[in-house]
Amino acid sequence: MAGEKVVMPSTPEGGVMGLIEVDPSPVEETPAEFKEDYFPASAPSRTSTLGLGSHGPAYYLLRVQRYSSYAFTIFASFHIVNTSVIPLLTKSVSESNRYLLLTRPYYQSALTEPLLVGLPLMAHVSSGIALRLYRRHQTLRRYGAETHRDKKTIPWPAVSGTSALGFALIPLAGFHMLTTRMMPMYMHGDSSLINLSYISHGFSLHPFVSFAGFTALVGVGAWHITWGWAKWLRLCPTQATATGSRRHLVKKRRWYAINALSAVVAGLWLAGGLGIVGRGGKTTGWIGREFDELYKSMPLLGSIAW
């Protein structure tokens, strides 16, 4: 008010404290559903009758996406060990098949496979798509878009690199599951014959497509999984909490560290998958003839043997 004396903050020595430059809070890098941390609501949060709180749909979709990845990571770890690490240690496809047949029932049983593969995979993909659609709806609502022309002028939410890898992984993983699980089950009633020798047989029949497809599957999968876990652990470059010039350094170090770890995972996966299993050659005898018949029964998919 007029006439009042403005008192400047002072230092312990009695001098006047000057202006201090501080880094801005990274509001724009924060998803909309987490911005209440920066701008607390004036009214206290209420708890619903189910005890779920007053969180919006994005809060629960993110948690479905996160916790579903935990279950699928367990399966992926077992699968990589069986199909890559053990072949790399034994340097033999036939010897690795013994370990595969011993451990596969634990994660491909009628109970564990839906819990570790089917349901988590569906929940992870569907929650990611639903989250993107919800954010799009919130953006249109925020800008008051009503007509189709208005909606066309407002861009969709940016796709992160991890999400782009996830979208690319859907068809790659889908073909892999179709050729190694679904089609054998449909054509022969079970997939008991599907082992590492079956994959080696397919590599020898269609080497170029198989090697290219498997490399793409492993590369995209390794980078998506590694960057996804970095996000859950809040180790992504954009999640750095340092300020000033140190923030740029921390972001750079994290970017290199995550990509280096992704390369190590992909290299280990490919070393056993391509170096041992992919070069195992055709299977002879009656099993080899069964493999030939199985691939012939999949005229469009038989060339994708990874």
Side-chain angles (χ1 to χ4, degrees):
M1 294 178 67
E4 289 187 357
K5 183 179 180 181
V6 179
V7 180
M8 298 295 292
S10 60
T11 62
E13 291 78 11
V16 178
M17 182 182 296
L19 297 178
I20 301 174
E21 182 180 356
V22 296
D23 290 322
S25 179
V27 177
E28 295 304 322
E29 296 181 4
T30 307
E33 58 270 17
F34 292 126
K35 287 188 178 180
E36 62 268 13
D37 296 338
Y38 295 92
F39 305 107
S42 57
S45 59
R46 299 178 180 178
T47 304
S48 64
T49 55
L50 297 177
L52 298 178
S54 58
H55 299 292
Y59 176 88
Y60 299 105
L61 288 173
L62 274 172
R63 274 144 186 80
V64 170
Q65 191 180 41
R66 175 171 184 161
Y67 297 133
S68 61
S69 68
Y70 291 0
F72 192 77
T73 300
I74 297 174
F75 161 75
S77 301
F78 279 109
H79 194 59
I80 293 174
V81 169
N82 275 330
T83 61
S84 182
V85 177
I86 292 178
L88 193 60
L89 294 176
T90 61
K91 294 181 172 54
S92 170
V93 174
S94 59
E95 186 70 18
S96 301
N97 278 329
R98 296 173 52 193
Y99 294 95
L100 178 69
L101 295 176
L102 285 173
T103 57
R104 189 167 62 179
Y106 291 102
Y107 64 88
Q108 282 192 355
S109 67
L111 177 63
T112 57
E113 189 171 23
L115 293 178
L116 292 179
V117 185
L119 292 177
L121 190 60
M122 292 177 59
H124 191 72
V125 174
S126 59
S127 61
I129 296 175
L131 182 61
R132 180 165 175 78
L133 294 175
Y134 175 75
R135 285 175 173 167
R136 169 66 174 175
H137 173 73
Q138 290 295 92
T139 302
L140 296 177
R141 184 178 177 184
R142 187 177 301 114
Y143 286 97
E146 297 180 355
T147 65
H148 180 68
R149 184 177 180 179
D150 293 338
K151 295 178 181 179
K152 288 180 63 176
T153 60
I154 300 176
W156 280 74
V159 179
S160 65
T162 308
S163 297
L165 289 170
F167 288 129
L169 188 59
I170 293 175
L172 294 172
F175 276 120
H176 177 69
M177 295 174 63
L178 194 62
T179 56
T180 59
R181 290 290 291 160
M182 298 179 185
M183 288 301 295
M185 288 285 292
Y186 175 76
M187 300 300 300
H188 294 275
D190 62 37
S191 58
S192 57
L193 285 177
I194 307 305
N195 53 23
L196 298 179
S197 299
Y198 168 79
I199 303 299
S200 298
H201 197 86
F203 269 78
S204 63
L205 291 176
H206 308 280
F208 177 77
V209 176
S210 297
F211 274 84
F214 186 77
T215 301
L217 172 66
V218 170
V220 174
W223 257 265
H224 177 70
I225 293 172
T226 307
W227 274 91
W229 270 101
K231 178 182 177 181
W232 298 148
L233 297 175
R234 301 195 63 80
L235 296 176
C236 281
T238 56
Q239 295 171 316
T241 57
T243 58
S245 59
R246 178 167 174 76
R247 176 177 172 81
H248 176 73
L249 180 62
V250 171
K251 290 173 65 175
K252 188 175 181 179
R253 287 177 176 175
R254 288 187 177 187
W255 188 89
Y256 280 111
I258 296 171
N259 281 300
L261 181 59
S262 301
V264 170
V265 173
L268 179 64
W269 199 345
L270 289 172
L274 293 183
I276 306 299
V277 179
R279 299 170 60 187
K282 294 182 66 174
T283 302
T284 58
W286 70 271
I287 297 181
R289 291 191 292 271
E290 287 289 333
F291 289 163
D292 286 332
E293 291 298 322
L294 186 56
Y295 281 115
K296 288 178 182 178
S297 67
M298 300 184 291
L300 296 178
L301 302 174
S303 61
I304 307 174
W306 31 270

